[in-house]
């Protein structure tokens, strides 16, 4: 029994120790950058450094999972390829719009805006070019780490390490390609944002007006309270923070109204897309002889599907498992909303 009590666990915790050492190095690096920041934002940058390290660690863990999911999707696609899934994509998109389109009005409007403005090719080409440059930097950084892995002596300071990594990146990046890609991407995204602002001008105007109304009493009563909890150095951030919070709340209300309108629109549009695409698919591969171009039955069936989809959106909530599947779309939706609020 005494031997069993004295026996130590076999695991040496080397992975945890390596992770802690890596996080300590990242924290030192970000702290060094924070100390070089302008004096006005230096305290904020230093306070954000530990959180940025956690985000860095999370992203590092998520990247392999995303790559694995992408590989599995490609594997699944190869299995179902004999059934012509490309022709069925409009059916699935229509069904998703019918039952869940009201939850993603900004995402749907963004896709439409990309098509209307013709920015799709520019965005895709720019992203692929930037990703290609990023891959070159990552590969070169890995080589650099291997070359310096056996170096003996004192470890480089965070500033020296940052300088070394920056020089490695500058050595392999093509500045002309990167500059052109960033310019094209920015121009395309601004065109999409402008199109979205025109599409949702009423919602944005309503949210902005409500935000201005709410901000006056919020500033009157909230500023004294916030001053009691914050140091004098941070009092200059109180009024902008309260005004932006009021605008964000007002925009959320305006977007909720727009979401109800979008639910009806997406249900009708999705129902029509689903039935018409399904009929064309069945006719194309000889499963059915029904021609949707010479009959109104597919439109009537589309309205019936739209009623079911609208009823689901209004009276039922998305199941948890399905909500997890739709989580990437939800993140994109709220990112677009935040961008519109920020640029308004």
């Amino acid at each position: 029994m005494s031997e069993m009590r004295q026996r130590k666990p076999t695991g040496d915790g080397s992975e945890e120790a390596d992770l802690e050492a890596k996080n300590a190095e990242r924290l030192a690096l970000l702290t060094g950058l924070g100390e070089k920041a302008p004096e006005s934002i230096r305290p904020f940058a230093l306070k954000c450094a530990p959180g940025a390290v956690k985000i860095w660690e999370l992203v590092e863990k998520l990247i392999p999972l995303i790559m694995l999911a992408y590989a599995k999707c490609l594997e699944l696609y190869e299995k179902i390829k004999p059934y012509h899934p490309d022709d069925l994509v409009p059916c699935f998109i229509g069904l998703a719009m019918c039952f869940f389109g009201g939850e993603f009005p900004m995402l749907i409007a963004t896709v439409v805006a990309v098509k209307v403005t013709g920015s799709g090719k520019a965005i895709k080409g720019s992203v692929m070019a930037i990703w290609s440059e990023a891959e070159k930097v990552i590969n070169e950084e890995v080589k650099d780490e291997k070359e310096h892995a056996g170096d003996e002596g004192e470890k480089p300071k965070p500033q020296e390490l940052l300088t070394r990594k920056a020089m490695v990146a500058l050595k392999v990046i093509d500045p002309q390609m990167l500059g052109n890609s960033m310019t094209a991407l920015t121009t395309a995204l601004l065109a999409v944002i402008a199109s979205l602002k025109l599409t949702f001008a009423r919602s944005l105007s309503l949210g902005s007006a409500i935000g201005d109304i709410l901000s006056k009493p919020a500033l009157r009563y909230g500023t004294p309270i916030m001053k009691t909890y914050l140091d004098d150095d941070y009092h200059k951030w109180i009024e902008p923070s309260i005004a932006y919070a009021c605008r964000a709340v007002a925009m959320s209300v305006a977007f909720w109204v727009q979401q109800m309108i979008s639910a009806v629109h997406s249900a009708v549009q999705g129902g029509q897309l689903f039935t018409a695409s399904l009929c064309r698919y069945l006719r194309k591969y000889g499963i059915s002889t029904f021609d949707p171009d010479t009959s109104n039955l597919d439109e009537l069936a589309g309205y019936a599907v739209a009623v079911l989809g609208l009823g689901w959106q209004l009276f039922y909530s998305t199941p948890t498992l399905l909500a997890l599947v739709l989580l990437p779309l939800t993140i994109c939706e709220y990112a677009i909303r935040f961008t519109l609020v920020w640029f308004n």
Side-chain angles (χ1 to χ4, degrees):
M1 293 292 291
S2 60
E3 293 180 358
M4 293 179 64
R5 291 194 187 104
Q6 294 176 0
R7 187 176 298 168
K8 295 181 180 180
T10 56
D12 57 357
S14 59
E15 293 184 1
E16 289 79 1
D18 292 342
L19 181 60
E20 290 179 3
K22 190 181 292 186
N23 285 341
E25 182 179 345
R26 291 168 178 171
L27 181 61
L29 178 63
L30 294 176
T31 302
L33 290 175
E35 291 174 350
K36 289 186 175 182
E39 189 176 353
S40 57
I41 63 171
R42 189 179 302 159
F44 179 75
L46 292 175
K47 287 184 178 180
C48 289
V53 171
K54 294 294 183 183
I55 295 174
W56 192 340
E57 180 185 347
L58 178 62
V59 171
E60 195 176 54
K61 291 179 179 179
L62 285 178
I63 288 177
L65 296 177
I66 294 173
M67 298 301 293
L68 178 62
Y70 178 71
K72 292 293 183 182
C73 289
L74 291 179
E75 184 181 340
L76 177 62
Y77 177 79
E78 291 298 327
K79 291 181 179 179
I80 63 175
K81 198 172 182 179
Y83 301 99
H84 310 284
D86 294 342
D87 295 329
L88 280 174
V89 167
C91 298
F92 294 127
I93 292 177
L95 204 60
M97 287 177 59
C98 189
F99 285 86
F100 308 104
E103 298 182 15
F104 310 106
M106 294 297 168
L107 188 59
I108 295 173
T110 301
V111 175
V112 174
V114 168
K115 291 183 178 181
V116 170
T117 59
S119 305
K121 291 183 178 179
I123 292 174
K124 183 179 179 180
S126 300
V127 170
M128 295 301 293
I130 294 171
W131 177 252
S132 176
E133 295 298 309
E135 282 186 328
K136 291 194 294 186
V137 173
I138 293 171
N139 293 333
E140 198 67 23
E141 292 286 358
V142 171
K143 292 180 182 178
D144 181 72
E145 289 292 337
K146 291 181 179 179
E147 290 176 1
H148 291 82
D151 292 351
E152 298 180 355
E154 187 178 356
K155 290 185 177 181
K157 295 180 180 180
Q159 291 82 359
E160 296 175 354
L161 181 63
L162 179 63
T163 302
R164 193 185 82 197
K165 290 183 176 294
M167 295 305 294
V168 171
L170 292 174
K171 184 173 65 175
V172 297
I173 288 178
D174 184 352
Q176 190 70 27
M177 179 181 291
L178 184 62
N180 293 339
S181 300
M182 292 298 296
T183 301
L185 182 61
T186 304
T187 304
L189 291 178
L190 288 177
V192 172
I193 291 173
S195 178
L196 285 175
K197 290 185 70 173
L198 289 175
T199 303
F200 294 94
R202 291 183 179 179
S203 297
L204 292 172
S205 300
L206 176 62
S208 181
I210 296 175
D212 292 338
I213 295 172
L214 292 177
S215 62
K216 294 179 181 179
L219 288 171
R220 186 182 304 116
Y221 297 106
T223 302
I225 297 174
M226 295 295 291
K227 286 183 177 180
T228 59
Y229 290 98
L230 297 175
D231 296 334
D232 294 341
D233 296 335
Y234 303 106
H235 285 180
K236 60 184 177 181
W237 292 97
I238 293 177
E239 290 189 9
S241 300
I242 292 177
Y244 185 77
C246 291
R247 178 176 291 185
V249 171
M251 287 293 181
S252 298
V253 175
F255 283 140
W256 179 82
V257 175
Q258 181 63 44
Q259 187 173 349
M260 294 296 103
I261 299 173
S262 298
V264 178
H265 178 264
S266 64
V268 175
Q269 190 176 18
Q272 295 298 318
L273 179 62
F274 169 71
T275 53
S277 301
L278 181 61
C279 290
R280 289 191 179 93
Y281 176 84
L282 296 176
R283 179 178 175 82
K284 181 177 180 179
Y285 295 102
I287 302 174
S288 172
T289 58
F290 178 76
D291 186 3
D293 296 327
T294 59
S295 175
N296 294 327
L297 290 178
D298 61 309
E299 296 179 2
L300 296 176
Y303 290 129
V305 175
V307 171
L308 294 176
L310 182 61
W312 173 271
Q313 294 187 64
L314 295 179
F315 302 109
Y316 295 95
S317 59
T318 306
T320 304
L321 183 60
L322 191 56
L324 291 175
V325 175
L326 297 174
L327 182 60
L329 299 181
T330 304
I331 295 174
C332 292
E333 172 70 19
Y334 281 95
I336 296 169
R337 294 186 185 188
F338 176 80
T339 303
L340 282 181
V341 173
W342 181 265
F343 276 91
N344 186 37

